[in-house]
């Protein structure tokens, strides 16, 4: 018969022994502390607040305190906890809680991410600062007016365009494996607007500059082998503002929250825009203008 | 018609007196961001300095050696002279090396974030070394 003991850091152990009869018996005993009291870990959250229904209200920061032992790990968990238990007037967008819908995009500790994917920093000496997406009109608290962003997306015609529509819906439009691979890193965009609202150029020129999110989707349709309007899509960007306000500041790629695990570093709108600029230099301008 | 719609967006938001969410005051600074604005700053500085020098050369009386003697006669210490030299050398070096980094981006290379940092640090390092070398010459 032999005995093995495993002790873990959580102060409970497993004692396993095998008696001659061949049965493996294991006992588990846990060390119980006298008054099993876990110290509360209080974290401060400073949140941007503004109420349109209070006349003359000015934007302000409101501090909430949360015990991290009683809260989920993500910033969105904290916001929901605040809304449920402390202040039901706190207003923010949210839906999937798993980084696929893009609703909870906001500025956390100075960077734009999705609140549902951003782990709360367990350092209790520093507060977590939460702001809405930068340089956007505020509807209420953390909710920005996204309609300009959506209108810009609509303007690039984000759908498949064929010269001859007669075959539409009859058969699949075939695409080689290599051509489909070109769409990797582009189609995954959830239009959360973290990148566009991190771009200083977009801050100063949101009316005329399309921004990284919309431009990356324009590129997604330009290089889709099934789409036949590449040159027209390129010629639409032929003005000083729509594309060319990009000065390669690279805040966009740095802030993209679509990080699935350790190996994927998020999407790269900066690179997509650079590829558009290269295509703009070589496409046949006259042919597109003649259409 | 999209253009008309967008105009209504701006009109609606300003008439509702909605605040603009904070941006430059709250956004976390990073090395690439600072390098980008420094490129713009050194560009404006160099452009302005060259234009000012050209205007001065055109308008001011006396030739180059006259002004060189004037500066010598001011008996400015070597440290301050060195500082002035560095103050000219650094913008020239930085803007040139970062300019090459921009050209590298223009051919579509170096867009992964670790590469942006690597080329960034290289530009900073080369600029400092070149500026010090030029100052000591």
């Amino acid at each position: 018969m032999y005995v093995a003991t495993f002790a873990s850091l959580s102060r409970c152990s497993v004692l396993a022994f095998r008696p001659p009869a061949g049965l493996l018996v294991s006992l588990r005993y846990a060390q119980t502390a006298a008054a099993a009291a876990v110290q509360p870990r209080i974290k401060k959250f400073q949140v941007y607040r503004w109420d349109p229904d209070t006349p003359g209200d000015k934007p302000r920061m409101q501090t909430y305190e949360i015990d991290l032992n009683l809260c989920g790990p993500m910033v969105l968990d904290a916001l929901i906890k605040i809304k449920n238990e402390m202040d039901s007037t706190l207003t923010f967008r949210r839906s999937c809680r798993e980084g696929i819908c893009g609703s909870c995009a906001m500025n956390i500790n100075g960077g734009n991410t999705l609140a549902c994917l951003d782990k709360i920093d367990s350092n209790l000496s520093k507060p977590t600062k939460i702001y809405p997406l930068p340089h956007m009109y505020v509807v209420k608290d953390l909710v920005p007016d996204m309609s300009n962003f959506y209108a810009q997306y609509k303007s690039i015609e984000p759908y498949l365009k064929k010269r001859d529509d007669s075959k539409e819906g009859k058969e699949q439009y075939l695409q080689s494996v290599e051509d489909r691979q070109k769409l990797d890193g582009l189609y995954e965009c959830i239009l959360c607007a973290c990148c566009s609202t991190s771009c200083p150029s977009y801050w100063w020129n949101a009316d005329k500059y399309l921004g990284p999110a919309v431009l990356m989707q324009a590129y997604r349709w330009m290089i889709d082998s099934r789409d036949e309007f590449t040159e027209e899509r390129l010629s639409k960007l032929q003005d000083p503002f729509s594309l060319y306000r990009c000065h390669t500041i690279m805040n966009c790629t740095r802030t993209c929250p679509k990080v699935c695990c350790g190996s994927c570093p998020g999407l790269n709108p900066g690179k997509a825009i650079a590829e558009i600029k290269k295509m703009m230099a070589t496409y046949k301008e006259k042919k597109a203008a003649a259409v | 018609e999209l253009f008309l719609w967008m105009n209504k967006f701006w009109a609606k938001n300003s008439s509702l007196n909605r605040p603009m969410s904070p941006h430059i005051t709250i956004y976390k600074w990073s090395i690439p961001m600072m390098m980008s604005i420094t490129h713009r700053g050194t560009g404006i500085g160099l452009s302005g300095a060259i234009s000012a020098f050209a205007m001065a050369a055109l308008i001011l009386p006396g030739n180059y050696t006259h002004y060189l003697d004037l500066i010598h006669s001011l008996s400015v210490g070597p440290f301050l002279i060195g500082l002035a030299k560095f103050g000219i050398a650094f913008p020239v070096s930085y803007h040139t090396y970062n300019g090459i980094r921009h050209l590298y981006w223009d051919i579509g290379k170096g867009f992964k974030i670790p590469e942006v940092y690597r080329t960034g640090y290289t530009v900073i390092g080369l600029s400092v070394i070149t500026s010090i070398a030029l100052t000591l010459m």
Side-chain angles (χ1 to χ4, degrees):
Chain A
M1 158 164 134
Y2 61 86
V3 177
T5 307
F6 306 95
S8 73
L9 289 169
S10 58
R11 292 180 297 168
C12 58
S13 313
V14 173
L15 179 69
F17 57 93
R18 186 184 290 275
L23 288 167
L24 181 70
V25 179
S26 71
L27 298 166
R28 196 150 157 261
Y29 57 92
Q31 220 178 4
T32 47
V38 186
Q39 291 291 357
R41 295 183 296 140
I42 306 292
K43 175 89 177 176
K44 283 197 168 66
F45 288 86
Q46 288 175 358
V47 187
Y48 178 98
R49 303 295 312 274
W50 180 70
D51 182 15
D53 299 320
T54 305
D57 189 27
K58 292 234 177 326
R60 58 193 169 83
M61 297 302 281
Q62 187 164 347
T63 306
Y64 301 96
E65 289 186 358
I66 298 242
D67 180 5
L68 295 184
N69 293 324
L70 303 172
C71 181
M74 305 300 184
V75 174
L76 184 64
D77 296 316
L79 287 170
I80 290 173
K81 190 176 172 67
I82 294 169
K83 191 174 173 75
N84 283 346
E85 298 171 15
M86 296 161 74
D87 182 353
S88 60
T89 64
L90 180 62
T91 307
F92 50 92
R93 289 196 178 108
R94 87 285 176 263
S95 182
C96 74
R97 68 61 163 143
E98 62 182 24
I100 195 66
C101 73
S103 306
C104 62
M106 53 185 75
N107 186 288
I108 299 169
N109 291 324
N112 292 348
T113 43
L114 301 170
C116 62
L117 294 181
D118 194 56
K119 281 207 188 64
I120 301 170
D121 182 3
S122 49
N123 181 348
L124 302 177
S125 61
K126 287 190 292 186
T128 295
K129 296 190 187 159
I130 304 177
Y131 286 91
L133 290 175
H135 209 285
M136 298 284 271
Y137 283 114
V138 177
V139 175
K140 183 177 178 180
D141 292 346
L142 300 171
V143 176
D145 187 345
M146 300 285 286
S147 12
N148 187 48
F149 179 76
Y150 298 142
Q152 287 169 329
Y153 181 57
K154 184 175 172 178
S155 74
I156 57 136
E157 297 180 323
Y159 40 83
L160 199 67
K161 289 170 63 160
K162 288 281 203 195
R163 301 269 173 216
D164 172 19
D165 276 333
S166 63
K167 294 222 166 50
E168 194 178 304
K170 300 211 174 89
E171 276 183 343
Q172 296 146 313
Y173 293 131
L174 296 179
Q175 187 173 53
S176 72
V177 172
E178 293 78 28
D179 282 334
R180 172 59 187 82
Q181 269 173 0
K182 289 184 194 156
L183 300 178
D184 287 337
L186 302 174
Y187 78 89
E188 300 93 325
C189 175
I190 58 173
L191 295 170
C192 66
C194 281
C195 59
S196 290
T197 53
S198 74
C199 175
S201 259
Y202 191 72
W203 293 348
W204 319 138
N205 300 108
D207 52 340
K208 295 196 281 220
Y209 174 49
L210 291 177
V214 170
L215 287 170
M216 186 158 93
Q217 289 312 297
Y219 181 63
R220 176 254 175 277
W221 290 104
M222 284 170 195
I223 53 121
D224 191 332
S225 59
R226 303 164 296 173
D227 183 85
E228 289 164 356
F229 277 69
T230 307
E231 276 161 15
E232 284 80 353
R233 293 181 187 276
L234 284 164
S235 84
K236 250 192 126 171
L237 301 178
Q238 197 70 281
D239 64 77
F241 279 91
S242 307
L243 165 72
Y244 290 110
R245 282 311 95 196
C246 170
H247 299 304
T248 327
I249 301 173
M250 286 302 279
N251 263 5
C252 51
T253 302
R254 204 167 173 279
T255 210
C256 178
K258 282 298 276 185
V259 180
C260 47
C261 56
S263 37
C264 319
L267 305 177
N268 201 331
K271 170 120 177 89
I273 293 174
E275 295 296 330
I276 300 177
K277 287 177 183 169
K278 281 162 68 181
M279 286 170 79
M280 294 287 282
T282 53
Y283 82 106
K284 293 171 189 63
E285 250 179 87
K286 292 178 199 118
K287 187 175 164 205
V291 169
Chain B
E1 149 256 300
L2 203 64
F3 177 72
L4 291 167
W5 187 97
M6 282 174 166
N7 278 345
K8 285 203 282 186
F9 165 83
W10 298 105
K12 169 188 174 193
N13 274 299
S14 55
S15 72
L16 283 171
N17 288 317
R18 283 179 173 165
M20 189 71 82
S21 56
H23 36 96
I24 203 83
T25 46
I26 57 103
Y27 206 84
K28 188 170 185 192
W29 282 99
S30 61
I31 301 271
M33 227 171 136
M34 289 192 265
M35 287 188 72
S36 178
I37 194 66
T38 307
H39 191 77
R40 190 170 272 250
T42 52
I44 294 172
L46 288 169
S47 182
I50 291 176
S51 298
F53 185 83
M55 285 295 282
L58 208 60
I59 294 174
L60 293 176
N63 59 16
Y64 179 69
T65 45
H66 165 81
Y67 288 105
L68 200 60
D69 292 333
L70 196 66
I71 293 171
H72 276 274
S73 69
L74 287 173
S75 59
V76 183
F79 179 73
L80 286 172
I81 292 272
L83 211 62
K85 282 169 84 175
F86 189 84
I88 296 172
F90 186 77
V92 173
S93 314
Y94 179 85
H95 197 87
T96 307
Y97 289 123
N98 203 221
I100 298 170
R101 184 165 168 242
H102 257 93
L103 292 172
Y104 190 60
W105 282 333
D106 286 341
I107 55 171
K109 287 176 164 282
F111 274 97
K112 297 206 184 79
I113 289 298
E115 291 170 337
V116 171
Y117 274 87
R118 213 177 305 138
T119 52
Y121 288 135
T122 307
V123 163
I124 293 173
L126 284 172
S127 303
V128 171
I129 294 169
T130 308
S131 309
I132 293 175
L134 288 171
T135 306
L136 293 175
M137 268 166 65

